[in-house]
Structure formats: structure tokens, C-alpha cells
Amino acid sequence: MKCLFCEIAEKKLPARILFEDVHAIAFEDVYPQAPVHVLVVPKKHISTSLEINPDDNWLVGHLFQIANTVAGQKGIAERGFRLVMNTNPESGQTVFHIHLHMLGGRVMHWPPG
Ligand code: AMP
Ligand code: ZN
């Protein structure tokens, strides 16, 4: 079975894209859990955070830079937002291509569910 986020990155499936460069893409989550819910996804296929190699360290940092840019675009940077990366089933990971959730536009609670 094809990877959903590889297919979105390759434009084989539609998405509401907010940012894209040669290394990564950011698009709206189809089932938003907050007024702002954006997924920041590397174009390189990495299944889970456990598969991030030292060579990928810059790429993971890049995902955070993109999340900051999109938070600014959405006007929530100063109010605050939450960045989440789920790893494996107990965390709730359902798409096995790493992605940073950027959630905001409402008060976040702690501990998370
Ligand atoms: P996770 O559960 O951490 O693996 O996150 C996967 C996220 O992908 C969920 O928040 C889903 O709502 C979202 N999602 C699933 N399919 C799509 C899609 N086609 N376009 C955008 N987001 C999606
Ligand atoms: Zn993939």
C-alpha cells in the first residue's frame, strides 16, 4: 500500500497546502482538532521518529522552522501553539510517515489525552 503522505507530497492526492519547499510540505489536517491544525511533513519517507537518523537532524529542525512560519502566517505565534509528533500505536500514530502536528487557536490542556 502506498504511503498517504508521500502521495500528498508528490501531489497524487489533494491537500490544502500552506507551505512547500524542496524538503517539506505543510497542509491542513482533514480532521482538525483545533481551529488551527496543520501537518508539517518531510518529503523524505521516514516511518516514525524512531527511524530518524543523525543525517536527518537538520530536516527535523527544518520542520520546526516551518511550523514557526505557518504559526506566524496563521497569527497564533504570540498566543501560542502546540507541536506534537506521535510515535507508534499507543501515542495515536495512524500515518506512518513522520509529521509534526501544529495545533492552535484555542487554549490547550495538559496533560494531553
Ligand atoms: P497521527 O495520528 O499522529 O499519525 O496523525 C495523522 C493525521 O493525519 C491525523 O490528524 C489525520 O486527521 C490526518 N490525516 C489523515 N488523512 C489525511 C489527509 N488525506 N489529508 C490531511 N490530513 C490527513
Ligand atoms: Zn511516506
Side-chain angles (χ1 to χ4, degrees):
M1 195 172 142
K2 289 274 179 83
C3 169
L4 180 65
F5 287 174
C6 282
E7 298 230 312
I8 288 175
E10 293 167 14
K11 311 288 171 55
K12 292 175 180 164
L13 287 175
R16 292 174 62 188
I17 297 168
L18 301 171
F19 177 95
E20 181 174 12
D21 66 14
V22 69
H23 301 297
I25 189 165
F27 51 89
E28 307 269 8
D29 195 297
V30 275
Y31 303 113
Q33 302 302 313
V36 176
H37 189 172
V38 176
L39 302 175
V40 187
V41 180
K43 292 188 174 178
K44 177 182 177 181
H45 181 88
I46 301 171
S47 300
T48 82
S49 65
L50 294 168
E51 278 74 44
I52 295 169
N53 298 314
D55 284 351
D56 301 319
N57 286 354
W58 68 272
L59 179 58
V60 176
H62 190 57
L63 301 182
F64 280 79
Q65 298 288 346
I66 294 168
N68 290 343
T69 298
V70 174
Q73 287 172 357
K74 292 282 192 181
I76 60 167
E78 298 309 317
R79 289 171 62 189
F81 55 92
R82 183 170 290 175
L83 299 176
V84 174
M85 185 177 288
N86 294 320
T87 300
N88 276 339
E90 280 202 2
S91 74
Q93 186 177 4
T94 57
V95 177
F96 285 80
H97 177 135
I98 63 166
H99 47 281
L100 205 51
H101 294 260
M102 196 275 277
L103 297 141
R106 65 167 170 83
V107 174
M108 297 288 154
H109 301 287
W110 197 263

